[in-house]
């Protein structure tokens, strides 16, 4: 989704802005641009398309300047074209980049048109820049103009603004969209995501809703509702090379193979003497979980599938009811609050607008304490929650989530144990789960050895339009995640069904052209699942069965079994998700799609 970077320095900031934009590319975008103040005049460049194109065009113009703002745009209002790209500029004087959505833009546009402003784009953003221009004319002060303008804006925003009449100043503000100040030596930066600034600083300040900052080379002033405020400085541990692709062809491939290490990092310091430590969720966990009698999980996308899987563990081991809901639905459903319900948000980025809003809604309604399971330490969801468990997967750049998903699953398994201990769970069960967790990295290494087998298998899917994924019990959400992965990066229409539901509709779709992928580990539901697979076989469907052992079904031309070997039942959802990630990856590779940045999708969805 849209990305912002800005800088005020003594040196030329153009290479910093371009590098920052490249580091924001993973979020998903379709146009890019920048504006700088060069010797008191405003210069800008925009392209429809990739940052590399912008970089090339800038090289040709030899642009260089000490103050500038830049943006990657993911289209919401108006097509992904040159006119709609940011920066948006008003009367060659004010340049602005914006993340978020202006909800009352039609009304503001009418007003501005009456005041004589001409609109060159279809964006909601353009109203903000003209408003600032209008108020700058009144006050001749950029900070005042921004503050006054924002009072009329309804919706969400993170903005950065420059004006050549006040060179050496960059004004930025946030309301509902993340924005962070980067503190350098004799220079300051602004960005929507710290990843953009890691090459230039590790010192950050996270702005809060309502904050406006006046950034200069040697100082910055943050105000909120017109009053000066102080915000804490955070030192990030993120290394610049942690977000580099190295020798790997794609981030997604790198991230799939990082899973054994990511899982080890999630486990580290969380288990002692075969016991999962309650304090991993924060110092007040014991008090906060004491009276919990139910769990409400809220998430979007892949994180939602992790939640659906976690529900089985929570109900089985902690023996308390758990419901899981898509955040965008939860926030508008008027759910009935219960102060003894633990609200768990799952989010890789910690910035997903719907998940944030749903958490807010749960708090307002009077639900119980909140726990965030998240991969980004300084994110909004983490800062808003009473308890936190960081997944420690390391930065995930591929839009299609892989290692963040498996580490979320592990985190939910640990949560189930901690909740279980509050509910008199037998120690033997905890030890049994801890044993399974400890062998997880090795089991993942094993299953990754299927790499070349799955690469070959992928050829069967390249010409397919549709695919059906089946699972039962706790492996049904894993089938859902497998279908989502294939859909996201190979653009094949894929659906997942609980296998028992096959005969209630989807069986009508099965013919020799429909590949059916079954997640079929050796568990108490396997026999039932086999009967469902026979139903597919009887109708000539092509079966691809992921199972512990080849013996599950006789291999025929149209029945392929992918053998995963002995897998511990407790952790099998984590293990079985990995070959499905590889399958989606290889199918996308054959189809030649943009694996890491699939069309129309964004890594971090910061708008509703
Ligand atoms: C986007 C991403 C998905 C992700 C979802 C939720 O749609 O493309 O990969 O699962 O957002 O993101 P979150 O950061 O909240 O886990």
């Amino acid at each position: 989704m849209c990305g912002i970077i800005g800088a005020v320095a003594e040196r030329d900031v153009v290479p910093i802005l371009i590098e920052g934009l490249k580091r924001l590319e993973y979020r998903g975008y379709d146009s890019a641009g920048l504006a700088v103040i060069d010797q008191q005049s405003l210069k800008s460049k925009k392209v429809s398309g990739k940052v590399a194109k912008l970089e090339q065009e800038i090289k040709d113009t030899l642009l260089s300047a000490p103050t500038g703002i830049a943006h990657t745009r993911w289209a919401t209002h108006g097509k992904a074209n040159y006119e709609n790209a940011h920066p948006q500029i008003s009367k060659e004087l004010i340049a602005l980049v914006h993340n978020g959505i202006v909800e009352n833009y039609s009304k503001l546009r009418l007003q501005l048109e009456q005041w004589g402003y001409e609109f060159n784009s279809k964006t909601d953003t353009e109203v903000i820049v003209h408003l600032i221009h209008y108020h700058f004319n009144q006050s001749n002060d950029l900070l005042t103009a921004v503050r006054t303008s924002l009072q009329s804006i309804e919706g969400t925003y993170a903005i950065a603004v420059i004006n050549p009449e006040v060179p050496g100043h960059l004004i930025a503000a946030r309301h509902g969209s993340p924005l962070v100040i980067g503190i350098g030596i004799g220079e300051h930066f602004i960005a929507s995501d710290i990843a953009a600034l890691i090459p230039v600083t590790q010192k950050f300040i996270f702005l809060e809703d309502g904050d406006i900052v006046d950034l200069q080379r040697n100082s910055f002033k943050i105000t909120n509702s017109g009053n000066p405020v102080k915000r804490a400085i955070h030192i990030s541990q993120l290394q610049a090379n942690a977000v580099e692709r190295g020798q790997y062809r794609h981030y997604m491939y790198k991230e799939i193979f990082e899973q054994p290490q990511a899982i080890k990092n999630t486990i580290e310091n969380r288990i002692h003497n075969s016991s999962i430590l309650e304090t991993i969720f924060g110092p007040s966990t014991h008090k906060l979980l004491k009276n919990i009698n139910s769990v409400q999980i809220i998430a979007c996308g892949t994180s939602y599938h992790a939640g659906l899987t976690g529900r089985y563990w929570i109900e089985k081991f902690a023996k308390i009811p758990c419901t899981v809901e898509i955040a965008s639905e939860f926030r508008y459903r008027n759910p009935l609050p219960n102060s003894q319900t633990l609200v768990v948000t799952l989010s890789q980025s910690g910035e997903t607008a719907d998940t944030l809003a749903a958490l807010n809604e749960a708090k307002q309604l009077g639900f119980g304490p909140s726990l965030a399971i998240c991969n980004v330490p300084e994110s909004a969801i983490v800062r808003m929650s009473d308890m936190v468990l960081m997944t420690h997967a390391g930065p995930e750049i591929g839009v299609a989530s892989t290692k963040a998903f498996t580490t979320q699953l592990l985190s939910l398994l640990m949560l189930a144990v901690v909740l279980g201990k509050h509910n008199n769970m037998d120690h033997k069960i905890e030890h049994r789960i801890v044993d399974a967790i400890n062998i997880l990295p090795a089991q993942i290494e094993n299953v990754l050895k299927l790499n070349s087998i799955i690469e070959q298998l992928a050829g069967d899917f390249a010409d397919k339009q549709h695919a059906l994924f089946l699972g039962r019990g706790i492996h049904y959400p894993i089938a859902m995640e497998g279908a989502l992965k294939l859909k996201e990066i190979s653009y094949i229409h894929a659906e997942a069904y609980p296998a028992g539901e096959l005969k209630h509709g989807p069986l009508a779709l099965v013919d020799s052209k429909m590949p059916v992928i079954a997640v079929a580990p050796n568990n108490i539901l396997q026999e039932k699942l086999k009967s469902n697979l026979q139903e597919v076989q009887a109708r000539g469907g092509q079966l691809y069965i992921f199972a512990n052992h080849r013996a599950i079904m006789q291999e025929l031309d149209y029945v392929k079994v992918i053998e995963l070997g002995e897998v511990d039942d407790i952790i099998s959802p984590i293990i079985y998700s990995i070959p499905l990630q590889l399958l989606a990856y290889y199918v996308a590779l054959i189809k030649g799609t943009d694996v890491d940045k699939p069309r129309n999708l964004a890594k971090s969805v910061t708008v509703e």
Side-chain angles (χ1 to χ4, degrees), residues 568-607:
D568 191 301
D569 199 29
I570 293 176
I571 51 169
S572 74
I574 305 179
I575 303 294
Y576 271 76
S577 51
I578 287 164
L580 302 183
Q581 298 169 349
L582 284 169
L583 179 66
Y585 174 76
Y586 281 116
V587 175
L589 210 59
I590 297 171
K591 296 197 75 180
T593 61
D594 192 344
V595 173
D596 286 332
K597 287 172 249 136
R599 69 181 179 205
N600 307 336
L601 300 182
K603 180 74 185 160
S604 184
V605 181
T606 49
V607 294

Side-chain angles (χ1 to χ4, degrees), residues 26-27 298-305 346-353 355-356 373-376 381 396 398-402 404-405 408 481 484-485 488 598 601-605:
Y26 78 96
R27 296 165 68 97
I298 308 169
C300 302
T302 289
S303 298
Y304 170 65
H305 294 155
L346 293 172
S347 177
Q348 183 285 129
S349 63
E351 299 290 354
T352 302
T355 311
L356 251 176
I373 294 180
C374 187
N375 199 39
V376 179
I381 289 175
E396 189 180 70
V399 164
S401 186
T402 52
F405 175 66
Q408 281 174 344
E481 176 56 13
L484 178 64
K485 287 281 88 75
E488 281 178 310
L601 300 182
K603 180 74 185 160
S604 184
V605 181

Side-chain angles (χ1 to χ4, degrees), residues 1-3 27-32 47-50 71-86 88 98-102 105 121-125 598-602 604-608:
M1 207 132 271
C2 304
R27 296 165 68 97
Y29 72 106
D30 31 48
S31 58
V47 296
S48 158
K50 297 291 174 193
H71 192 257
T72 46
R73 173 174 186 257
W74 188 83
T76 55
H77 293 65
K79 282 188 186 157
N81 59 19
Y82 175 87
E83 287 75 23
N84 294 335
H86 299 198
Q88 290 290 314
H98 166 224
N99 288 358
I101 290 179
V102 181
Y105 88 108
S121 78
K122 295 270 184 292
T123 63
D124 51 339
T125 302
R599 69 181 179 205
N600 307 336
L601 300 182
S604 184
V605 181
T606 49
V607 294
E608 186 175 351

Side-chain angles (χ1 to χ4, degrees), residues 5-42:
I5 175 164
V8 199
E10 192 173 18
R11 57 177 163 158
D12 174 20
V13 298
V14 172
I16 298 172
L17 298 180
I18 293 291
E19 174 62 22
L21 290 184
K22 285 183 184 165
R23 287 173 177 268
L24 292 171
E25 282 189 298
Y26 78 96
R27 296 165 68 97
Y29 72 106
D30 31 48
S31 58
L34 60 68
V36 294
I37 302 174
D38 179 17
Q39 302 188 6
Q40 304 212 349
S41 77
L42 191 66

Side-chain angles (χ1 to χ4, degrees), residues 134-153:
Y134 174 82
H135 289 294
F136 183 74
N137 274 350
Q138 315 280 309
S139 63
N140 208 28
D141 179 75
L142 187 57
L143 182 61
T144 307
V146 171
R147 185 177 297 126
T148 316
S149 303
L150 293 179
Q151 283 162 6
S152 323
I153 304 289

